[in-house]
Amino acid sequence: MTSATTSPARGNALAFARDALTHVELTHIDKRVEHWIRFGHEAQEQILDRRRRIFSFRPGSVFAFVRWAANDFGTIASRIDILRAVAPGEPCQTVPFVRPGAEILLRVAGWPKVQQVLRHIDAVEEAGIDACTVSPDHWRHVGNRLNAGEPPRVYAVSVAPSPWMVCGSARRRSAIGAGVCYRSGRGVTASHRIRFSS
């Protein structure tokens, strides 16, 4: 498969390939198609027309992308993806309407499960926590539990900073699991770990 960032034939269609941002195309066609960002700190916004816009996110940004579509008979698709924007050259998964791609932290389809994720995000925000700063591992946990038909655990933050915030990169997760944070050179103690309350 040819990467869009290496194909010279598309010219202006590849404007997004010249920067380090992850671009998400949002669409709203009343009662037909709705794509929106549930949470996330966009770096820039570009309005294409009255129905379409592009939000751009810096590498490392975490955001929730909701997609819903319907026809004359009702809902035909509903999905939520919680994604982490990647840096140029970093491995990523392809996601529709996300260029060049992103790291998928949570992927849920079907309106009942999407509603559960939205309620979970609401609970996190009601606790005074910015959903963008939640550990990526927690979003993976939520997706895995919901896909297994189990309720996810409530998110709680310990007093000490989490390894996610100390190291600042999902690429260092394996180092954190081993007890070392390569950025700071310090060991990560149990008090630094995110706790899940049951």
Side-chain angles (χ1 to χ4, degrees):
M1 182 174 193
T2 304
S3 171
T5 57
T6 60
S7 174
R10 296 205 180 154
N12 292 337
L14 294 180
F16 72 88
R18 295 186 199 115
D19 61 25
L21 301 177
T22 296
H23 305 280
V24 182
E25 185 176 335
L26 306 177
T27 305
H28 181 87
I29 301 171
D30 198 34
K31 299 180 182 178
R32 291 293 181 183
V33 176
E34 293 181 17
H35 298 169
W36 75 92
I37 299 296
R38 171 55 184 84
F39 68 80
H41 302 294
E42 71 272 2
Q44 64 188 32
E45 176 183 3
Q46 178 184 3
I47 298 173
L48 302 175
D49 56 42
R50 61 186 210 102
R51 293 182 174 171
R52 296 180 307 134
R53 62 186 58 213
I54 295 176
F55 276 18
S56 301
F57 297 90
R58 289 186 178 87
S61 298
V62 176
F63 58 95
F65 180 37
V66 182
R67 291 178 282 152
W68 175 86
N71 62 17
D72 292 336
F73 303 103
T75 300
I76 56 173
S78 57
R79 174 180 299 275
I80 185 168
D81 296 302
I82 298 181
L83 308 167
R84 186 185 70 82
V86 295
E90 193 174 350
C92 63
Q93 292 90 24
T94 58
V95 179
F97 308 102
V98 178
R99 298 175 303 213
E103 178 184 2
I104 300 170
L105 305 177
L106 175 146
R107 172 169 268 183
V108 172
W111 186 243
K113 288 182 181 179
V114 170
Q115 282 182 310
Q116 287 180 300
V117 173
L118 293 173
R119 282 194 295 269
H120 191 80
I121 293 168
D122 290 341
V124 167
E125 291 175 340
E126 286 171 9
I129 302 168
D130 182 1
C132 299
T133 63
V134 169
S135 169
D137 289 333
H138 179 70
W139 295 124
R140 288 184 190 94
H141 157 79
V142 171
N144 290 336
R145 296 284 289 201
L146 290 176
N147 287 325
E150 296 290 327
R153 295 186 199 113
V154 176
Y155 186 74
V157 180
S158 63
V159 176
S162 69
W164 167 244
M165 297 307 289
V166 171
C167 290
S169 173
R171 297 179 93 190
R172 294 183 183 87
R173 275 194 310 276
S174 60
I176 293 168
V180 177
C181 176
Y182 285 111
R183 174 182 263 174
S184 65
R186 299 187 313 251
V188 178
T189 64
S191 66
H192 287 92
R193 301 194 193 281
I194 294 295
R195 291 190 299 237
F196 296 97
S197 59
S198 49

